[in-house]
């Protein structure tokens, strides 16, 4: 995990653990990580939701609600210059499914 994402992740967990939620939690994360975008906060939220060490049901619910509320905030933006991920890259399962469909229907790429 990159250092930037780790800071956002830790701020998110700290705020949720302190009982913050919604806009208060979002503002708390922005206060601790001023350069964080909605996209980065949503990604950190998803990371927290999959972390087996995060077991508090209320914290998980709060983080889930924040992720859903801000999921679409970055749609239509030109992108994040600090983002090291390729947005056109498919998940391994999606690529496999496309290949399976080509084989099943006898189509070729392109």
């Amino acid at each position: 995990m990159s250092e930037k994402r780790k800071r956002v992740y830790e701020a998110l967990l700290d705020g949720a653990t302190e009982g913050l939620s919604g806009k208060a939690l979002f503002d708390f994360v922005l206060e601790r990580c001023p350069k964080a975008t909605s996209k980065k906060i949503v990604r950190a939220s998803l990371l927290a939701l999959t972390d087996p060490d995060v077991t508090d049901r209320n914290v998980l619910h709060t983080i889930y609600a924040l992720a859903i509320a801000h999921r679409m905030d970055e749609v239509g933006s030109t992108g994040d210059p600090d983002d090291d991920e390729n947005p056109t890259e498919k998940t391994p399962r999606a690529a496999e499914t496309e290949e399976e469909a080509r084989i099943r229907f006898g189509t070729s790429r392109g």
Side-chain angles (χ1 to χ4, degrees), residues 43-100:
R43 286 185 177 174
S45 298
L46 296 175
L47 181 62
L49 292 172
T50 60
D51 186 344
D53 294 331
V54 181
T55 57
D56 184 314
R57 184 180 198 93
N58 292 325
V59 168
L60 290 169
H61 185 268
T62 298
I63 290 171
Y64 175 78
L66 182 78
I68 295 300
H70 291 278
R71 168 60 182 90
M72 299 303 287
D73 285 355
E74 294 292 321
V75 172
S77 70
T78 58
D80 183 354
D82 294 332
D83 192 1
D84 57 352
E85 296 179 21
N86 180 355
T88 61
E89 183 178 305
K90 296 181 177 143
T91 63
R93 180 67 190 138
E96 179 181 320
T97 303
E98 286 183 7
E99 186 63 29
E100 289 170 353

